[in-house]
Amino acid sequence: MSRFLLFGASRGLGLAITRHLLAQEHEVHALVRCPIQGGELAAMGVSVTPGDALDGEAVAMACKGAGEEALVISTLGSFHATRPVDFEGNRLVIDTLEQCGLRRLLLVTFLGCGDSWYSLSERARAVFGHEVRLKSLAESWLQSSSLAWTILRPAGLQDGEPTGHARLAPQGEELHGLVRRSDVARLAHTLVQDPQHIGRIYGCVDDALIRAS
């Protein structure tokens, strides 16, 4: 059993990762802003630290609670928020991990970040472009840190049962399509545990869903 610390655990992809890790009987810690969502996660067996990812003291408390051996996954993101966490929140997490002695971080952004910007349609750039640019800054901040990092950029996320066909794609491969959150959760678990993926950037897509769409 491994110990994990999650940022963004209470909804969307982060919640899918939480459920996957708990199903594998891992110890899961999480920083959660919303008391209701925090209570729901605690009822599932998550060790919850209440607080905001933009609050340095709260992030440090979550890190200390999880301990230096914890494997960290961040899916932090926001959409048209007054105070977006896409860059500032992830930057604070990265800096605090370094200060608290935690070493391993998987940052989950999405397709279009960094050098994959070209893969976004004009419509996607108009709708999500601001958040993509902020997440791209977070990726750059992480790559210049002292952490043992990996970056995962899923294609369009979809709810539903895992297909088992989602695949990792090396940086630079042109990707378009969809992938189930439940399949990304499995791949995220694999990536953060295996040291051969340190310092690597991957895309993630389910080719079967592309054919079906």
Side-chain angles (χ1 to χ4, degrees):
M1 181 178 72
S2 298
R3 188 184 316 130
F4 290 84
L5 171 59
L6 305 186
F7 295 92
S10 61
R11 59 187 177 87
L13 179 57
L15 182 56
I17 293 173
T18 300
R19 288 172 171 159
H20 174 81
L21 295 176
L22 289 172
Q24 301 300 311
E25 299 185 344
H26 292 299
E27 179 182 336
V28 180
H29 296 248
L31 177 70
V32 183
R33 181 181 60 181
C34 173
I36 295 175
Q37 293 173 330
E40 292 172 348
L41 290 178
M44 294 166 58
V46 177
S47 179
V48 173
T49 298
D52 195 305
L54 294 171
D55 179 347
E57 291 186 3
V59 175
M61 187 176 299
C63 291
K64 292 173 183 176
E68 294 184 4
E69 300 304 314
L71 304 172
V72 186
I73 301 175
S74 175
T75 61
L76 285 175
S78 49
F79 184 64
H80 293 176
T82 304
R83 296 184 66 199
V85 298
D86 303 79
F87 174 51
E88 293 296 339
N90 279 311
R91 184 180 71 171
L92 184 56
V93 167
I94 292 163
D95 291 350
T96 307
L97 292 178
E98 289 182 309
Q99 294 163 9
C100 293
L102 285 78
R103 294 289 305 146
R104 185 74 174 106
L105 172 61
L106 172 68
L107 176 63
V108 185
T109 57
F110 41 67
L111 194 63
C113 291
D115 61 354
S116 65
W117 173 260
Y118 68 89
S119 66
L120 291 181
S121 66
E122 288 300 323
R123 180 178 180 278
R125 291 178 185 181
V127 176
F128 303 110
H130 182 65
E131 285 74 23
V132 171
R133 294 171 73 186
L134 290 176
K135 287 184 184 294
S136 296
L137 291 173
E139 289 188 356
S140 295
W141 195 267
L142 176 58
Q143 290 175 73
S144 62
S145 75
S146 64
L147 300 179
W149 58 267
T150 304
I151 294 170
L152 179 61
R153 299 168 177 165
L157 293 168
Q158 186 181 73
D159 289 326
E161 292 298 316
T163 69
H165 300 302
R167 67 178 179 88
L168 295 173
Q171 185 179 10
E173 179 179 337
E174 185 171 353
L175 295 179
H176 300 280
L178 301 169
V179 64
R180 297 273 169 87
R181 287 180 174 86
S182 50
D183 283 309
V184 177
R186 174 181 56 83
L187 292 174
H189 180 201
T190 299
L191 287 175
V192 76
Q193 284 200 305
D194 192 337
Q196 72 171 326
H197 301 297
I198 291 173
R200 306 286 295 276
I201 299 175
Y202 296 97
C204 177
V205 72
D206 189 328
D207 296 318
L209 293 179
I210 292 175
R211 290 192 292 271
S213 61

